[in-house]
Amino acid sequence: MNERRGRSARMMARAERSALASPFVTRRIGIVSLIDEEALWIIERNADRILDEIGMEFRGDPETLEIFRKHGARVDGERVRFDPGWCRDKIRNAPRIFTQHARNAARSVQIGGDAQVFCPSFGPPFVHDIEKGRRYATFEDFKAITKLHYSLAAVNHSGGVVVEPVDLPVPVRHLHMAHAHLTHSDKPFMGAVTAPERARDTIEMCKLAMGTGFVEENCVLYSVVNTNAPLVMDETMLWALKEYAKSGQCTVVSPFVLGGAMSPVSVAATLAQVLAEVMACVSLIQLIRPGAPAVFGTFFSPLSLRTGAPTFGTPEGTQFQMCAKTLADRLGLPFHSVGALTASKVPDAQAGYESQSQLMGAVLAGVNFVIHATGCLEGLLTTGYEKIVMDADRCAALQRFVQGIDFSEAAQAMDAFAEIGPGGHFLGARHTQEHFETAFWLGDMSDNGTYEQWVAEGGMWEHERASQKVRRLLNEYEAPQMDIAVREALNDFVARRTKEITGDKA
Amino acid sequence: MNERRGRSARMMARAERSALASPFVTRRIGIVSLIDEEALWIIERNADRILDEIGMEFRGDPETLEIFRKHGARVDGERVRFDPGWCRDKIRNAPRIFTQHARNAARSVQIGGDAQVFCPSFGPPFVHDIEKGRRYATFEDFKAITKLHYSLAAVNHSGGVVVEPVDLPVPVRHLHMAHAHLTHSDKPFMGAVTAPERARDTIEMCKLAMGTGFVEENCVLYSVVNTNAPLVMDETMLWALKEYAKSGQCTVVSPFVLGGAMSPVSVAATLAQVLAEVMACVSLIQLIRPGAPAVFGTFFSPLSLRTGAPTFGTPEGTQFQMCAKTLADRLGLPFHSVGALTASKVPDAQAGYESQSQLMGAVLAGVNFVIHATGCLEGLLTTGYEKIVMDADRCAALQRFVQGIDFSEAAQAMDAFAEIGPGGHFLGARHTQEHFETAFWLGDMSDNGTYEQWVAEGGMWEHERASQKVRRLLNEYEAPQMDIAVREALNDFVARRTKEITGDKA
């Protein structure tokens, strides 16, 4: 038994290391698309018509309107209309593929092409675990969740607002969040979008950690701006978009759509609306700084017209995502979309079914940046501690899936058939001995043993095993290395800016 | 609130009726395949080599060996070897598409082509529910599970040994199971494979229910025989195969493979082995009765080489299934494979993640007959009552998914954009009012409401809601109509055969 556990531990350690060896996932299989040439043409024509006939509103920001006017868009008050083809022409300057650099170069990720990057959930004000239940998230939660994601090999990115640290004053939250991402992890992370000075602060902190010259020349932040669907961009999001575009940092334009309320009640119409919004906003990015990295993002949840609530794990959600990926490919933009979403309040079967449905759809679609890949409960109102490690295990399985199948001579194993013959057992075959450690993927969250063994080990449901894993990972956590001078510079920056922002109130 | 509940109930009733309108699912999207022409050629060549150089053993049945010898296969003891191309040539006689008739013609299902049929789990000796836990299954369980599946619109088939009724003596179990399928349901079902006289009994009972002439001319039973991988067929399975083939009933040849033990530890090698076994056995069917319906089946679970246990929801399981579907297409055979499998002992998150992974893989692969689509726990050792209704909800979602996307003018909703404009709400739009009841799929197992509402309603996890639904469906169950004379004939048959089989012991 001890020998078995020893071997098991060695296998796990090896699996962990091998996963860590690659900072992102390179898929070797095709994408699953559900949209043919005729339907693509319909959606693209409809998006063009929406932009031409109805247009989009850019609110509270005269500079944006002036940029559009100067380049030939038709500005009428805050409404901007675009001739067919105008946006596509501007978008041509955006890179198809770029790198988001992490402060540890070995963790830098490719955005676009065959790369897939798995990133934590963004934005929940609550956390949940099975012992303490649901409560408002604090900065302690933010740090613990950042440490967890640093420890999980299947998670390539540290994310942004992994939870809202509601115990920190809003005007300084962004400083502490960026500080936590930079010190408790060395994976790439996201920039603040809630105010232009907060975007600037995040960029400054990256300069302290990675060098001013480097940050000026490279993309080190990945930031998501949401349109106010339908067809509105508000000033807060515009300011963040402009700030990151000016500095050459990446902006994801991700219309947030509850289908049936913020878009018409159909996949086809929502696709046209989202395409229109993304085209208009990415054009703006390219007018501000041609060649600045920009990403086509989507968040689509069909509204339950029975309860008025967003739904997840639905056929339409995955259909939408697969089609939108193809539209992004045709625009020449990397594609960002949602992962393991669920409406469930707890880490139950619903959470498993819905999350796997959403995540598997995203991975098969070839989503380049899978946001909300881990931790979502309650439709992004809550991050679940157990859910993080449960989701990460499923991410790892799908990451193996997209590697495709080995059809090499070794994998064909024709010698094994000759060795074993009809009615034999392959466990002892030479081929099995040589390949068993790496042949099949094995996670560590599923219980595959016998019923009797499961009972003997406490008859735990998956969320109970997950709870144990969370504790173990947090106990074993070791911070990534950081130069002491850099850490002091970051500490000083946060202290100085806190004083400036809060003034006498601090 | 009452009005809302009234509307909700009407919507549910309508959805249920609309689902019932179709006895099987016709997919309108392409299949997801992971195997290219070169890899296909490798696997097919390797299967041919296995059959030519190693061959397959057909044990305990001289008649089978004689059939093979007479038609030119190379018989050496119980080992039979086949020249490359020999099997393919025989298989050409098998139909690509056929109908399995139910005693209610409106429930008959197409096997093959664009059809997908969803069928319950097969074979578990245990049942589980959250109140009483895990215990041996009885005939009462068998009947209750058959009634449940009759009530669930997403389940197209009544299955076979939905659980082993261990309280019935083995020699008469098949009589009572067939009786239950025929009387408690009117969906198509499966034949016994445990002995040739049991196969004959099942056929006789179908004749009583559907008419002798009809059964002699049509496929009314769908029966699964498993090879003893690697490369062995035993006499029990051979007898069942021969019995159904002679009578023109459908036989699925489904190698049961725990990868790494019963096949080499790789997807590529297992594909070749399974293809070889299926080709040899389907050839036999076609030699016995050319044109008899035959199906390419698979059951592949990668063995955990850490614990020695079968695993589910793995990347390799889905990779294997997607490739095997393409191999079946090239042979011109319908494809049968596994659905919502899990190793979990309980209806927890693991059950959700793994089942959704397996089921979604199967549906995307285009599996024509999805066995184990509902109810599996503990790697088919247990059927879970709650799991049945939870899985059925996810089957319904995937059935909607494979309908594809509506790109009609109505779905494009260009008038709605003009009506609502930037910043508006689509809930009140004419397009929404006209389409909201059918626009988005809505299951009834997921909780999508607010946290507060969920707490107010008892804070139930999905398995608790499922438990309520099981009770409701069993309470509301009404048996399908059956002519009183038919019922009496079935009762008499079971009584007579029981007496004959058990003799003085009865």
Side-chain angles (χ1 to χ4, degrees), chain B residues 322-395:
Chain B
M322 289 177 167
C323 293
K325 170 66 164 85
T326 308
L327 293 167
D329 285 348
R330 282 159 66 103
L331 271 184
L333 295 176
F335 185 66
H336 156 120
S337 191
V338 296
L341 299 186
T342 180
S344 183
K345 320 303 178 274
V346 284
D348 65 348
Q350 177 187 344
Y353 284 112
E354 291 184 343
S355 299
Q356 182 71 25
S357 177
Q358 292 266 168
L359 189 66
M360 192 162 172
V363 173
L364 289 170
V367 173
N368 297 114
F369 192 98
V370 184
I371 184 114
H372 315 304
T374 54
C376 166
L377 288 175
E378 208 190 330
L380 290 178
L381 284 175
T382 299
T383 287
Y385 276 93
E386 296 88 5
K387 183 83 178 345
I388 290 173
V389 299
M390 294 178 353
D391 285 339
D393 206 50
R394 302 314 306 176
C395 288

Side-chain angles (χ1 to χ4, degrees), chain A residues 99 101 213-221 247-249 289 293:
Chain A
T99 297
H101 296 270
F214 188 84
V215 171
E216 283 171 355
E217 299 289 320
N218 292 286
C219 169
V220 299
L221 285 169
S247 59
Q249 299 302 316
R289 178 158 164 169

Side-chain angles (χ1 to χ4, degrees), chain B residues 330-473:
Chain B
R330 282 159 66 103
L331 271 184
L333 295 176
F335 185 66
H336 156 120
S337 191
V338 296
L341 299 186
T342 180
S344 183
K345 320 303 178 274
V346 284
D348 65 348
Q350 177 187 344
Y353 284 112
E354 291 184 343
S355 299
Q356 182 71 25
S357 177
Q358 292 266 168
L359 189 66
M360 192 162 172
V363 173
L364 289 170
V367 173
N368 297 114
F369 192 98
V370 184
I371 184 114
H372 315 304
T374 54
C376 166
L377 288 175
E378 208 190 330
L380 290 178
L381 284 175
T382 299
T383 287
Y385 276 93
E386 296 88 5
K387 183 83 178 345
I388 290 173
V389 299
M390 294 178 353
D391 285 339
D393 206 50
R394 302 314 306 176
C395 288
L398 286 162
Q399 290 167 359
R400 175 72 169 253
F401 181 82
V402 298
Q403 302 300 304
I405 304 163
D406 180 2
F407 287 108
S408 67
E409 272 199 42
Q412 293 173 49
M414 289 301 282
D415 52 334
F417 291 115
E419 181 186 344
I420 300 304
H425 279 281
F426 287 91
L427 282 177
R430 197 166 39 241
H431 178 271
T432 313
Q433 293 299 313
E434 284 170 13
H435 297 281
F436 78 93
E437 287 203 10
T438 54
F440 294 142
W441 177 81
L442 251 189
D444 64 357
M445 286 312 309
S446 281
D447 184 281
N448 301 307
T450 63
Y451 180 80
E452 291 69 23
Q453 193 183 342
W454 176 75
V455 170
E457 290 172 358
M460 281 187 287
W461 291 40
E462 189 187 9
H463 57 269
E464 298 171 290
R465 295 192 298 277
S467 177
Q468 293 187 336
K469 181 169 177 180
V470 167
R471 277 196 296 277
R472 179 175 67 75
L473 288 178

Side-chain angles (χ1 to χ4, degrees), chain B residues 467-506:
Chain B
S467 177
Q468 293 187 336
K469 181 169 177 180
V470 167
R471 277 196 296 277
R472 179 175 67 75
L473 288 178
L474 290 177
N475 282 337
E476 293 174 0
Y477 168 81
E478 287 178 33
Q481 291 203 313
M482 176 173 262
D483 191 288
I484 188 79
V486 170
R487 176 179 287 270
E488 279 173 11
L490 288 170
N491 293 350
D492 291 348
F493 183 86
V494 171
R496 176 171 64 79
R497 287 291 295 140
T498 299
K499 208 168 165 187
E500 288 170 9
I501 292 166
T502 55
D504 291 337
K505 287 171 284 173

Side-chain angles (χ1 to χ4, degrees), chain B residues 32-52:
Chain B
V32 177
S33 176
L34 294 174
I35 188 163
D36 63 18
E37 197 62 31
E38 185 191 349
L40 281 163
W41 181 84
I42 290 172
I43 301 307
E44 290 173 342
R45 184 204 53 185
N46 289 351
D48 280 349
R49 275 189 58 197
I50 289 169
L51 288 173
D52 184 29

Side-chain angles (χ1 to χ4, degrees), chain B residues 301-313:
Chain B
S301 163
L303 211 62
S304 160
L305 294 159
R306 198 188 302 156
T307 63
T311 63
F312 302 97

Side-chain angles (χ1 to χ4, degrees), chain A residues 44-61:
Chain A
E44 289 173 343
R45 182 203 56 183
N46 288 351
D48 280 349
R49 276 189 57 197
I50 291 168
L51 289 173
D52 184 30
E53 296 169 16
I54 298 164
M56 186 158 173
E57 281 189 15
F58 293 84
R59 293 184 179 164
D61 187 49

